[in-house]
């Protein structure tokens, strides 16, 4: 039987369903496998969908995965049909990362994640979660605001001993420029701590009366973030914070008021940077004082306070993500890319990436947020693992189903003799040394290139085989997490898609086959979690695209199968010799 190359016969019914959603006109011409002016590759017509090449009897738990844009998949169009037809599991490119879900004020929006999970569940496709803890694509503005080295803030101090009988016996009011709109949704968020702990009531008001909202904020002795969403039933022009139970000091900072999900803050001076206190007022008879930095000493958190605050932030994030997934996502990159490529302390193993210890560039240090710099090298990972296991169960998952991976890149490199992988395994031993932390598997990102220099290519192939053997020796699950492949000419230059030759495509296909087959040859069946092809199609030439204008996919930009498709399928099937067509 011949198979159509766009999505193949096994996916035609899915495409027909998907086309109702986006009205795409899909071309189901027979496979020609062409790349611009290259010869027709009719042998590609004879291949089945990729997932059919996995021996499920020998590999009952193996998952053939791919990376997708969550919104593209959820729209049930082209990407959806191609994905469901060929793969068992999907990984969102960005939608499940911290920076995609957490706003500048700390509010979390998991709408896209929930839609992605729902769509995958309906299609009976599993999701590999990517990622819970990482230094890149974080909301740096929000996280850095939690641990400022120096910042103004409001300090409220009672001047008489003991709490008052009523919340309103002590309070402070912020005066807005213009009234809030009745019937619209607003979210107030603020950072606060108190000594000792206390309760703060938030009661928006105006001349027409006060909104007595619940719940109140139970403010602890360490900095935390508190928020409430409300819909005014009056033209609110004052935001009142009442704290009649305070018996000591209350600190307020990072105050944000947004409307209907907008990022525009209606608070003029959320961090008191201009020492502006004129917008705040209190009844003259209330016996307490308030001031802004310049009178009160600068807020500098101790290292332990910073650790406690960031530990809370990580837990809050992981809890939110797990609640959004409701136990459906059973495998995760719990920590992504923790290792640097340098050994600063001379112990023979690469150190963790860090903005403070010289293991990353100055640009990376300023652009990213390194959780480990606040939580410590051990507790960073141990906390992420513990939070993931705790909140997975609380969100409805079965504890025994959850698999947590450490994912990193350059584990297959020949120039350091797999030293990064060896270092990662050493770190895993340290993280698990507490007897509680358990890391189930290792993910290897393989953003590789076929190298037309035969010596370098052979070294690369040997290092890949060695990587799989080293990973297998850990007895942990082994996953190729982000496989895609470019091409380097004999001088080490990237070959761009418009310039690729048919001979180079054959070389690429053979290398795809080599990698996939090497995985099955060197990783025992019980440890084979799966392989994820990261790029389905060749990369577009647009600025900012991943590996822009490189021929990294199994399909070209028109969703025609490439020789790489056959190489990948033959690797799954365990074939030794690549087809000579």
């Amino acid at each position: 039987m011949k198979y159509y190359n766009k999505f193949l016969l096994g996916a035609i019914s899915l495409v027909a369903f998907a086309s109702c959603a986006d009205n795409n006109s899909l071309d189901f011409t027979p496979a020609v496998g062409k790349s611009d002016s290259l010869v027709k590759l009719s042998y590609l017509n004879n291949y089945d969908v990729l997932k059919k090449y996995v021996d499920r009897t020998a590999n009952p738990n193996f998952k053939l995965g791919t990376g997708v844009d969550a919104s593209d998949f959820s729209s049930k169009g082209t990407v959806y049909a191609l994905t469901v037809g060929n793969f068992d599991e999907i990984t969102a490119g960005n939608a499940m990362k911290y920076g995609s879900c957490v706003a500048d004020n700390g509010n979390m929006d998991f709408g896209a994640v929930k839609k992605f999970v729902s769509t995958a569940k309906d299609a009976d496709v599993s999701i590999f979660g990517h990622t819970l803890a990482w230094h890149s694509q974080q909301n740096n503005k929000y996280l850095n605001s939690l641990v400022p080295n120096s910042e103004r803030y409001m300090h409220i101090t009672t001047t008489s001993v003991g709490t008052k009988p009523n919340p309103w016996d002590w309070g402070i009011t912020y005066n807005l420029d213009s009234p809030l709109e009745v019937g619209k949704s607003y979210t107030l968020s603020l950072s606060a701590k108190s000594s000792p702990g206390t309760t703060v009531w938030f009661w928006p008001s105006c001349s027409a009366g006060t909104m007595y909202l619940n719940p109140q904020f139970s403010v602890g002795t360490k900095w935390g973030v508190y928020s409430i969403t409300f819909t005014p039933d009056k033209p609110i022009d004052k935001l009142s914070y009442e704290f009649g139970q305070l018996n000591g000091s209350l600190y307020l900072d990072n105050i944000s008021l947004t409307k209907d999900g907008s990022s525009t803050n209606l608070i003029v001076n959320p961090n008191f940077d201009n020492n502006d206190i004129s917008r705040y007022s209190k009844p003259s008879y209330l016996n307490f004082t308030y001031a802004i930095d310049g009178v009160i000493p600068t807020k500098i958190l101790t290292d332990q306070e910073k650790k406690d605050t960031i530990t809370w932030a990580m837990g809050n994030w992981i809890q939110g993500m797990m609640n959004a997934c409701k136990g459906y996502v059973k495998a995760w990159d719990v920590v992504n890319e923790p290792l640097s490529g340098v050994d600063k302390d001379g112990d023979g193993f690469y150190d963790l990436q860090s903005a403070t210890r010289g293991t990353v560039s100055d640009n990376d240090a300023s652009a990213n947020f390194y959780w480990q710099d606040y939580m410590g090298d051990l507790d960073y990972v141990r906390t992420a693992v513990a939070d993931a296991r705790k909140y997975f169960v609380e969100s409805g998952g079965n504890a025994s189903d959850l698999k947590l991976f450490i994912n990193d890149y350059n584990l297959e490199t020949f120039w350091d003799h797999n030293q990064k992988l060896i270092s990662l395994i050493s770190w895993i031993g340290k993280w698990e040394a507490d007897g509680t932390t358990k890391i189930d598997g290792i993910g290897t990102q393989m953003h590789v290139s076929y190298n037309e220099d035969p010596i370098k290519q052979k070294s690369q192939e040997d290092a890949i085989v060695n990587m799989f053997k080293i990973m297998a020796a850990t007895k942990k699950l082994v996953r190729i997490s982000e496989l895609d492949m470019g091409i380097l000419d004999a001088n080490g230059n990237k070959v761009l898609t418009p310039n690729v030759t048919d001979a180079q495509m054959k070389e690429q296909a053979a290398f795809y086959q080599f990698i996939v087959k090497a995985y099955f040859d060197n990783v025992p069946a019980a440890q084979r979690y799966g392989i994820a092809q990261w790029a389905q199609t060749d990369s577009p030439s647009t600025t900012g695209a991943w590996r822009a204008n490189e021929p990294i996919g199994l399909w070209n930009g028109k969703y025609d199968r490439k020789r790489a498709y056959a190489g990948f399928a033959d690797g799954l099937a365990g074939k030794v010799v690549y087809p000579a067509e």
Side-chain angles (χ1 to χ4, degrees):
M1 176 180 287
K2 300 291 186 184
Y3 293 88
Y4 291 101
N5 83 15
K6 291 287 182 181
F7 306 108
L8 317 171
L9 290 179
I12 286 178
S13 61
L14 292 171
V15 175
F17 170 74
S19 63
C20 297
D22 60 8
N23 296 317
N24 286 339
S25 177
L26 301 175
D27 179 11
F28 290 94
T29 54
V32 293
K34 62 184 178 63
S35 178
D36 297 331
S37 62
L38 299 180
V39 297
K40 292 185 178 181
L41 306 173
S42 59
Y43 78 101
L44 293 171
N45 295 358
N46 299 316
Y47 278 82
D48 207 332
V49 292
L50 286 176
K51 61 186 179 183
K52 292 289 186 69
Y53 290 95
V54 179
D55 184 341
R56 302 295 178 176
T57 301
N59 302 281
N61 299 315
F62 178 91
K63 296 177 179 63
L64 184 61
T66 187
V68 295
D69 179 270
S71 61
D72 285 347
F73 182 82
S74 297
S75 68
K76 294 187 177 179
T78 302
V79 171
Y80 175 89
L82 181 69
T83 300
V84 174
N86 285 276
F87 300 97
D88 307 315
E89 185 170 78
I90 52 179
T91 303
N94 290 309
M96 300 177 80
K97 294 173 181 174
Y98 189 96
S100 297
C101 303
V102 182
D104 289 349
N105 63 2
N107 291 343
M108 295 185 288
D109 181 356
F110 295 103
V113 173
K114 292 177 181 178
K115 185 175 182 181
F116 183 58
V117 170
S118 176
T119 305
K121 188 174 183 179
D122 289 345
D124 195 27
V125 173
S126 62
I127 294 176
F128 192 98
H130 179 73
T131 174
L132 294 178
W134 193 25
H135 58 268
S136 183
Q137 295 189 47
Q138 308 302 285
N139 189 310
N140 294 2
K141 180 177 181 180
Y142 168 65
L143 290 170
N144 286 325
S145 76
L146 298 179
V147 285
N149 291 321
S150 176
E151 185 177 301
R152 291 178 167 86
Y153 62 106
M154 178 173 284
H155 183 187
I156 300 165
T157 306
T158 58
T159 53
S160 61
V161 178
T163 61
K164 296 295 182 180
N166 303 303
W168 56 86
D169 284 337
W170 285 326
I172 193 166
T173 298
Y174 178 84
N175 298 282
L176 292 162
D177 280 335
S178 58
L180 304 183
E181 295 181 55
V182 174
K184 297 292 185 179
S185 176
Y186 292 84
T187 298
L188 174 87
S189 176
L190 54 83
S191 299
K193 73 172 183 177
S194 60
S195 178
T198 193
T199 299
V200 175
W201 283 259
F202 172 61
W203 291 339
S205 63
C206 62
S207 59
T210 300
M211 294 182 66
Y212 299 99
L213 298 177
N214 285 301
Q216 299 84 31
F217 304 134
S218 296
V219 177
T221 58
K222 298 172 183 176
W223 284 101
V225 179
Y226 305 89
S227 64
I228 185 171
T229 299
F230 65 100
T231 302
D233 58 3
K234 305 172 181 66
I236 298 299
D237 61 5
K238 294 179 176 57
L239 307 180
S240 296
Y241 308 94
E242 314 291 342
F243 37 87
Q245 294 183 348
L246 178 64
N247 184 13
S249 293
L250 172 66
Y251 304 84
L252 301 177
D253 198 1
N254 304 318
I255 301 175
S256 170
L257 181 69
T258 57
K259 183 179 78 170
D260 288 338
S262 169
S263 60
T264 301
N265 193 352
L266 302 178
I267 302 298
V268 173
N269 191 25
N271 299 107
F272 310 101
D273 294 331
N274 299 319
N275 204 25
D276 177 14
I277 205 166
S278 63
R279 290 177 177 272
Y280 290 86
S281 61
K282 69 162 187 170
S284 59
Y285 62 86
L286 296 184
N287 192 20
F288 69 92
T289 62
Y290 65 99
I292 293 176
D293 179 60
V295 176
I296 304 301
T298 302
K299 177 182 69 179
I300 301 178
L301 275 63
T302 66
D303 288 345
Q304 185 61 49
E305 287 175 325
K306 290 179 180 179
K307 179 178 181 178
D308 292 344
T309 300
I310 294 305
T311 298
W312 168 86
M314 174 179 282
N316 190 48
W317 150 249
I318 293 177
Q319 181 181 26
M321 178 59 77
M322 289 298 182
N323 285 340
C325 296
K326 299 296 183 186
Y328 185 74
V329 183
K330 299 179 175 62
W332 289 87
D333 287 328
V334 63
V335 174
N336 193 47
E337 301 177 0
L339 264 65
S340 71
V342 296
D343 176 17
K344 299 282 286 189
D345 60 13
D347 66 353
F349 301 103
Y350 292 160
D351 306 323
L352 296 195
Q353 298 203 57
S354 166
T356 62
R357 288 168 284 175
T359 59
V360 300
S361 69
D362 290 343
N363 286 340
D364 284 343
S366 62
N368 299 319
F369 185 88
Y370 295 87
W371 300 77
Q372 54 268 42
D373 287 346
Y374 299 95
M375 301 173 68
D377 292 350
L378 298 181
D379 286 346
Y380 160 53
V381 175
R382 289 174 178 174
T383 300
V385 170
D387 286 345
R389 296 195 184 283
K390 174 184 177 181
Y391 294 123
F392 176 76
V393 172
E394 289 186 6
S395 67
N398 187 321
S400 62
D401 291 338
L402 183 63
K403 305 300 179 187
L404 300 179
F405 286 70
I406 305 293
N407 186 48
D408 219 324
Y409 61 92
N410 282 354
L411 305 186
E412 80 287 346
T413 51
F414 64 87
W415 59 80
D416 67 350
H417 306 286
N418 303 106
Q419 182 60 28
K420 192 171 187 181
L421 172 60
I422 294 168
S423 299
L424 177 58
I425 292 170
S426 174
W427 276 103
I428 290 174
K430 294 177 183 179
W431 293 323
E432 293 185 329
D434 61 355
T436 301
T437 302
K438 179 186 177 185
I439 295 162
D440 300 290
I442 301 173
T444 172
Q445 300 177 24
M446 296 187 67
H447 303 297
V448 299
S449 292
Y450 178 82
N451 197 315
E452 291 193 299
D453 180 325
I455 296 176
K456 291 182 179 178
Q457 178 61 20
K458 181 61 167 62
S459 297
Q460 182 173 220
E461 292 173 359
D462 291 345
I464 288 171
V465 171
N466 193 48
M467 174 187 70
F468 288 137
K469 289 180 177 179
I470 295 172
M471 294 174 78
T474 67
K475 306 302 181 183
K476 295 186 179 297
L477 296 173
V478 177
R479 178 176 186 253
I480 301 179
S481 58
E482 302 180 20
L483 178 61
D484 54 35
M485 185 187 300
I487 300 172
L488 299 176
D489 66 20
N491 296 318
N493 300 313
K494 293 180 182 178
V495 178
L496 301 182
T497 301
N499 304 322
V500 68
T501 67
D502 192 50
Q504 289 169 331
M505 293 178 71
K506 286 183 179 180
E507 293 169 338
Q508 182 189 48
F511 193 27
Y512 260 121
Q513 180 189 3
F514 174 88
I515 291 171
V516 175
K517 187 174 184 298
Y519 173 88
F520 285 96
D521 288 348
N522 294 284
V523 178
Q527 293 173 252
R528 298 173 192 156
Y529 179 88
I531 299 173
Q533 172 65 19
W534 195 241
Q536 294 179 351
T537 64
D538 293 343
S539 180
S541 59
T542 52
T543 301
W546 170 248
R547 302 186 76 169
N549 209 18
E550 290 191 61
I552 57 177
L554 305 184
W555 291 266
N556 65 18
K558 298 178 180 179
Y559 294 97
D560 295 319
R561 288 174 175 176
K562 296 168 48 184
R563 287 189 181 275
Y565 182 100
F568 195 100
D570 290 342
L572 291 172
K575 291 185 178 180
V576 177
V577 180
Y578 180 70
E581 289 89 341

